[in-house]
Amino acid sequence: MNTMRLTESAVDTDIKITAKDVQVYYGDNHAIKDVSVEIQDKTVTAFIGPSGCGKSTFLRCINRMNDTIDVCRVQGDIKIDGEDIYDKRVDPVQLRAKVGMVFQKPNPFPKSIYDNVAYGPRIHGLAKNKADLDDIVERALRRGAIWNEVKDRLDAPGTGLSGGQQQRLCIARAVATEPEVLLMDEPCSALDPIATAQVEELIDELRKSYSVVIVTHSMQQAARVSQRTAFFHLGNLVEYGETGQIFTNPVDPRTENYITGRIG
Amino acid sequence: MSNPDQTPAVAKTSLLKLDARTRKRNAAETRFKAYGMIAIGMGLLMLVILVFNIVSRGTGAFQQTFVTLEVELVAAKLDKKGNRNLDDIKKVSTFGYAPLLKDAFEAKVAVAGIDTGIKPKQMAAILSKSAAAQMRDFVIANPDMIGETVAFEFLASSRVDGYLKGRVSRDSIANDKKISPEQLDFVDQLVSEGSVTKRFNMSFITGSDASDARPESAGMGVSMIGSLIMMMVVLVLALPIGVAASIYLEEFAPKNWITDIIEVNISNLAAVPSIVFGILGLAVFINYMHLPNSAPLVGGLVLTLMTLPTIIISTRASLKSVPPSIRDAALGVGASKMQSVFHHVLPLAAPGILTGTIIGLAQALGETAPLLLIGMVGFIASNPPDSIAAGLMSPNSAMPAQIYEWAKRADPAFYERAWGGIIILLVFLVSMNTIAVILRRRFERRW
Ligand SMILES: Nc1ncnc2c1ncn2[C@@H]1O[C@H](COP(=O)(O)OP(=O)(O)OP(=O)(O)O)[C@@H](O)[C@H]1O
Ligand SMILES: [Mg+2]
């Protein structure tokens, strides 16, 4: 199987996530229809599309966060490194340690800034001692582009930060556990341009080691940070390819309409 | 029809003048505020009346009339053999002590030069029936005091006590066999002489219930212990069971018709009259499981059943009020369901859970009906239990049942104690609710 994949896209980097014929239903609502996509390792993949088209839903399939929604049903295959993540033997908890997530709305724990970031490393036993943990926290906060703002008040509650700071704290929290895949659901929607630029820089840096999937409503952002882009519309994956090609020369008229601002 | 050149005439209005609509709305708002204030005022008035009533009727129970009297512990009567052998001393019953009291009064009258016109036996009758027993206990504890003259402070009989508190008057005792006007004259003389005084009575708070004949020595202490032990049982059982059940139902259980039925039934259980739990306890714990009658353990079990639905409902409500994004956040960094619940959800729900639990406990503390059914009524235990195990298993009463028992008895002296008991009960309830408020303030966090 590995060899087959290699022959398919010999020049490209490895494929990290493979989705095949994924269907998602919320009760009777068919939210994701027949989506098949291959997401590459060490690449930033952007999901774009009008509101309500299923970007978040598909993203949540990749770390099985949809399991927590009672009415949600997922069909089809999603594989990470060739392993079916919906296999009965897979523990979603272990999966989520490997596939980190930044949510659409900032959701820090009502604990101190330090504890917010340290929580993941603590439960996964990533730090050998306190100094180790301090290092992890500092590194994560630096990568989340928030270290300078909070380094003097690590004991202050994370919920006392501004919306944009909270979101960067959540990013720091997600990278602190060293996931292999990072899913980001509109991470910059509450950020000012400076913080956005910092987060984009972070995303670019994360790409060196991880596979990053980012949902965004900003075409410019998708164009700036991503190498590949997927366009969703009404639950369908309309078009998926090189970011440059999607933005300059889209194949599907719906993609073109969306990018040029005619639908959405 | 409309001419585009002509904008419709809009009447100019001044912001400084209220128009009719605004005036009407403002009037409605003022009326509504007035209704609210009237309602709150009525509530406060009722509360003031209630508190005033309770305090004015109940505080009497915390004061008691005492008679100071020097008694010669005549060796010839208390220790005939003269060898201070404790077994022999114990053989002298309270009847053997009664004559000493008469002699003591006679001596006192002679010394003080009081002219009474009543017999020493009647003088001694102003004391509580517990006086002889009090002396006997003293002598058994201090056998070497035999032969000495000791100053005792005896409880006065409930009539004398009532006389000093204004409950008993010369008119009200016209047909009373327990006390005569001459005895009251004698009491008056002793009061002016200083040996009959009214003071704070600790034994009302620490003592046990007493028989009909001596209401002056009845106290709440033992039934208070009964109540506290029951509360312990309720806390130890209802809190963990209730919280565990709520967490399971709220966070782990699948949402299907079975959990729906459970949910409906829990709400219904919360509305079941407490006497139903009482008869259930009688049937199951006493008749079927053969736990002892009147035991605080059984009372605690019954109250646990009664409190569980309250705790479950309030716990589930506080778990529900924790924003789901917190759960997502925890799961998102790879916490297990259980970790997300115990590390994040439960601490946030804790103030609500604690408040619910304390309110449930307070409810259970004031509950009377089920206790009557399992036999936890007054005058059961005359001594405080000497260990927790004994406290659980040996018959006892509880505060509200004790109050009910006193209110039922004929002697007005008991009625006064019932009001006093209410004050103690209310002090407990108010402190528990205060703790609930403080905990809530303490733990409350914003997110
Ligand atoms: N928890 C849920 N329960 C039921 N239906 C849901 C739920 N979440 C999403 N949906 C439905 O699934 C569809 C896709 O929603 P989704 O949140 O994935 O959209 P999105 O592309 O992320 O939109 P946006 O850009 O506004 O975030 C919508 O029709 C929505 O109504
Ligand atoms: Mg979304």
Side-chain angles (χ1 to χ4, degrees):
Chain A
M1 171 141 188
N2 233 351
T3 46
M4 206 179 84
R5 189 152 49 87
L6 278 176
T7 52
E8 267 175 13
S9 54
V11 285
D12 258 326
T13 43
D14 283 347
I15 288 174
K16 186 76 180 170
I17 307 166
T18 326
K20 204 154 188 312
D21 301 331
V22 175
Q23 322 275 350
V24 182
Y25 301 86
Y26 289 110
D28 295 332
N29 178 8
H30 196 171
I32 292 286
K33 298 162 194 160
D34 257 339
V35 170
S36 300
V37 68
E38 291 188 331
I39 293 168
Q40 296 168 354
D41 201 5
K42 307 203 191 319
T43 306
V44 178
T45 307
F47 287 179
I48 58 169
S51 189
C53 66
K55 305 179 297 291
S56 298
T57 300
F58 186 71
L59 202 66
R60 290 164 63 92
C61 289
I62 301 174
N63 67 345
R64 290 186 59 174
M65 280 303 283
N66 283 334
D67 290 13
T68 62
I69 300 171
D70 283 318
V71 293
C72 185
R73 266 182 311 125
V74 179
Q75 288 170 5
D77 274 352
I78 299 179
K79 292 191 172 121
I80 293 182
D81 292 334
E83 290 172 339
D84 182 2
I85 63 169
Y86 281 87
D87 190 292
K88 278 194 199 65
R89 286 166 297 179
V90 171
D91 184 347
V93 172
Q94 214 171 324
L95 169 71
R96 288 183 204 127
K98 196 161 147 160
V99 185
M101 181 154 196
V102 176
F103 294 83
Q104 194 162 353
K105 270 185 274 173
N107 55 355
F109 300 127
K111 295 182 188 295
S112 72
I113 293 169
Y114 184 93
D115 285 337
N116 259 284
V117 183
Y119 182 68
R122 268 197 196 122
I123 59 172
H124 298 302
L126 298 185
K128 284 186 284 295
N129 51 42
K130 177 82 173 74
D132 219 10
L133 191 60
D134 288 349
D135 278 355
I136 292 177
V137 169
E138 180 177 341
R139 197 166 59 236
L141 285 169
R142 280 189 193 283
R143 292 171 92 180
I146 191 178
W147 171 251
N148 287 329
E149 283 152 82
V150 301
K151 63 172 183 272
D152 299 324
R153 46 171 175 151
L154 292 177
D155 291 331
T159 38
L161 297 172
S162 78
Q165 289 172 327
Q166 289 187 14
Q167 188 62 297
R168 278 176 286 150
L169 177 63
C170 293
I171 294 173
R173 183 176 67 191
V175 296
T177 52
E178 300 288 341
E180 295 171 26
V181 178
L182 189 62
L183 309 174
M184 305 175 106
D185 199 346
E186 296 183 36
C188 299
S189 57
L191 301 190
D192 65 22
I194 298 169
T196 303
Q198 285 169 330
V199 170
E200 285 176 7
E201 225 169 86
L202 161 74
I203 292 171
D204 207 50
E205 196 220 296
L206 291 175
R207 179 167 69 94
K208 289 179 196 142
S209 27
Y210 313 132
S211 159
V212 180
V213 184
I214 175 172
V215 171
T216 176
H217 278 286
S218 155
M219 301 305 127
Q220 289 87 344
Q221 184 171 54
R224 279 195 302 265
V225 298
S226 72
Q227 287 74 52
R228 299 186 70 94
T229 297
F231 172 63
F232 286 80
H233 187 239
L234 299 177
N236 295 304
L237 176 63
V238 174
E239 197 166 342
Y240 177 52
E242 295 280 341
T243 299
Q245 175 252 316
I246 295 262
F247 278 98
T248 52
N249 193 13
V251 177
D252 196 288
R254 286 171 294 180
T255 317
E256 185 173 0
N257 285 342
Y258 180 71
I259 288 165
T260 53
R262 259 169 287 175
I263 57 167
Chain B
M1 202 184 126
S2 63
N3 188 342
D5 292 343
Q6 251 178 352
T7 42
V10 176
K12 266 218 176 116
T13 55
S14 161
L15 278 176
L16 300 177
K17 212 169 85 225
L18 297 181
D19 64 10
R21 262 190 95 73
T22 312
R23 264 202 304 278
K24 221 168 137 186
R25 282 193 308 220
N26 289 354
E29 193 172 315
T30 314
R31 272 201 307 279
F32 180 78
K33 281 198 246 171
Y35 296 150
M37 261 141 48
I38 291 173
I40 290 174
M42 301 258 280
L44 281 180
L45 186 70
M46 293 297 161
L47 187 69
V48 167
I49 293 176
L50 184 80
V51 170
F52 176 76
N53 248 299
I54 292 174
V55 169
S56 63
R57 285 168 199 240
T59 42
F62 292 90
Q63 294 225 312
Q64 205 67 37
T65 307
F66 288 89
V67 181
T68 327
L69 191 63
E70 302 209 330
V71 185
E72 190 192 346
L73 301 171
V74 186
K77 283 191 173 138
L78 303 182
D79 188 20
K80 286 181 186 115
K81 290 181 189 158
N83 56 8
R84 301 289 186 272
N85 183 337
L86 211 52
D87 289 331
D88 289 334
I89 292 172
K90 277 185 183 160
K91 277 191 191 122
V92 182
S93 73
T94 52
F95 286 110
Y97 285 80
L100 299 183
L101 288 171
K102 281 188 255 172
D103 296 345
F105 269 113
E106 245 182 326
K108 184 177 190 78
V109 171
V111 170
I114 301 172
D115 181 24
T116 58
I118 54 172
K119 294 198 194 93
K121 187 174 176 195
Q122 285 171 301
M123 292 183 202
I126 68 163
L127 297 181
S128 163
K129 292 225 163 28
S130 63
Q134 188 185 337
M135 272 202 297
R136 183 171 180 264
D137 290 345
F138 176 81
V139 168
I140 290 171
N142 312 286
D144 43 321
M145 295 298 276
I146 292 177
E148 312 274 322
T149 298
V150 181
F152 282 98
E153 213 174 30
F154 296 117
L155 280 168
S157 83
S158 70
R159 290 298 191 282
V160 172
D161 180 52
Y163 177 61
L164 261 73
K165 286 175 183 164
R167 189 179 67 229
V168 173
S169 68
R170 284 187 169 71
D171 296 334
S172 75
I173 57 161
N175 297 316
D176 199 328
K177 289 197 193 68
K178 284 185 181 155
I179 196 148
S180 67
E182 291 76 29
Q183 281 172 311
L184 292 187
D185 293 340
F186 177 53
V187 169
D188 281 340
Q189 283 166 316
L190 289 181
V191 169
S192 56
E193 190 246 0
S195 51
V196 171
T197 47
K198 219 168 55 171
R199 61 170 174 78
F200 182 71
N201 178 24
M202 195 61 195
S203 73
F204 175 64
I205 298 171
T206 57
S208 66
D209 193 13
S211 71
D212 281 358
R214 40 186 187 90
E216 62 277 358
S217 52
M220 285 288 278
V222 176
S223 60
M224 218 186 283
I225 293 177
S227 276
L228 288 180
I229 288 179
M230 288 200 303
M231 290 307 105
M232 256 167 47
V233 173
V234 175
L235 191 65
V236 165
L237 292 179
L239 182 63
I241 296 177
V243 171
S246 319
I247 292 178
Y248 177 74
L249 281 175
E250 200 53 47
E251 305 283 339
F252 293 94
K255 304 274 174 285
N256 55 28
W257 61 272
I258 300 177
T259 42
D260 283 350
I261 288 178
I262 292 175
E263 183 148 13
V264 169
N265 275 303
I266 289 173
S267 320
N268 285 342
L269 273 182
V272 168
S274 57
I275 197 150
V276 176
F277 288 106
I279 205 155
L280 186 80
L282 178 64
V284 176
F285 297 129
I286 294 180
N287 293 343
Y288 179 70
M289 289 165 66
H290 299 295
L291 290 173
N293 252 319
S294 314
L297 174 66
V298 178
L301 289 174
V302 169
L303 294 180
T304 300
L305 291 182
M306 214 195 76
T307 316
L308 261 179
T310 315
I311 294 186
I312 293 182
I313 289 172
S314 62
T315 304
R316 292 190 65 183
S318 30
L319 289 175
K320 251 195 208 113
S321 71
V322 175
S325 62
I326 298 292
R327 297 178 177 80
D328 281 352
L331 296 180
V333 293
S336 68
K337 185 100 189 181
M338 185 141 160
Q339 284 172 326
S340 100
V341 170
F342 282 88
H343 295 168
H344 301 287
V345 178
L346 207 51
L348 289 175
I353 296 174
L354 285 175
T355 319
T357 307
I358 292 177
I359 286 172
L361 276 184
Q363 245 175 32
L365 184 70
E367 200 54 68
T368 324
L371 304 183
L372 301 183
L373 284 183
I374 56 167
M376 291 190 72
V377 270
F379 202 31
I380 291 177
S382 40
N383 291 307
D386 34 59
S387 66
I388 294 199
L392 282 171
M393 298 307 270
S394 60
N396 203 339
S397 179
M399 285 197 276
Q402 180 71 73
I403 292 167
Y404 168 76
E405 176 72 16
W406 282 341
K408 228 173 46 175
R409 289 188 193 162
D411 197 318
F414 278 119
Y415 188 61
E416 180 189 77
R417 299 190 113 64
W419 283 98
I422 294 274
I423 292 184
I424 296 185
L425 187 62
L426 284 181
V427 166
F428 268 83
L429 293 179
V430 170
S431 11
M432 285 170 81
N433 285 331
T434 312
I435 293 174
V437 171
I438 291 174
L439 286 178
R440 160 140 257 160
R441 288 267 161 82
R442 251 278 168 75
F443 287 110
E444 211 152 53
R445 268 180 278 192
R446 278 174 289 267
W447 51 78

